[in-house]
Amino acid sequence: VQRERTATPLQALTVLNDPQFVEAARVLAATLIGQSHQNDNELLIRAFRLTTSRSPEPAECQVIEELLSNARQKWQG
């Protein structure tokens, strides 16, 4: 079986909403939260390494930190 290539976002949206991916994200978050001895920056780097198998570039760290800050503001407010 071979997947067809597509330029539409439908496939990505379907995968992102798949229960297995949602559950995997939940478990990753729970694991990282359980490592409370680390600060946010260390946890973000750890999450990046776990999901991409490489260390983040400084610009990527800045984007991820901004995303975290925006998410916190959204869910607190």
Side-chain angles (χ1 to χ4, degrees):
V1 176
Q2 185 175 351
R3 281 183 25 187
E4 296 293 324
R5 291 186 67 143
T6 179
T8 65
L10 182 59
Q11 184 177 12
L13 290 173
T14 300
V15 170
L16 285 173
N17 291 320
D18 184 276
Q20 288 179 314
F21 285 88
V22 173
E23 180 65 11
R26 186 193 65 75
V27 170
L28 175 62
T31 300
L32 292 169
I33 289 170
Q35 299 172 352
S36 61
H37 60 279
Q38 297 176 327
N39 63 37
D40 285 346
N41 190 43
E42 291 171 340
L43 290 174
L44 292 173
I45 290 171
R46 176 81 175 131
F48 192 95
R49 284 184 184 153
L50 288 171
T51 56
T52 65
S53 299
R54 68 177 179 85
S55 295
E57 300 291 326
E60 292 170 323
C61 284
Q62 183 177 357
V63 169
I64 296 168
E65 289 169 0
E66 289 173 11
L67 287 170
L68 177 60
S69 176
N70 291 342
R72 282 189 171 145
Q73 289 176 3
K74 177 182 177 179
W75 293 107
Q76 288 176 354

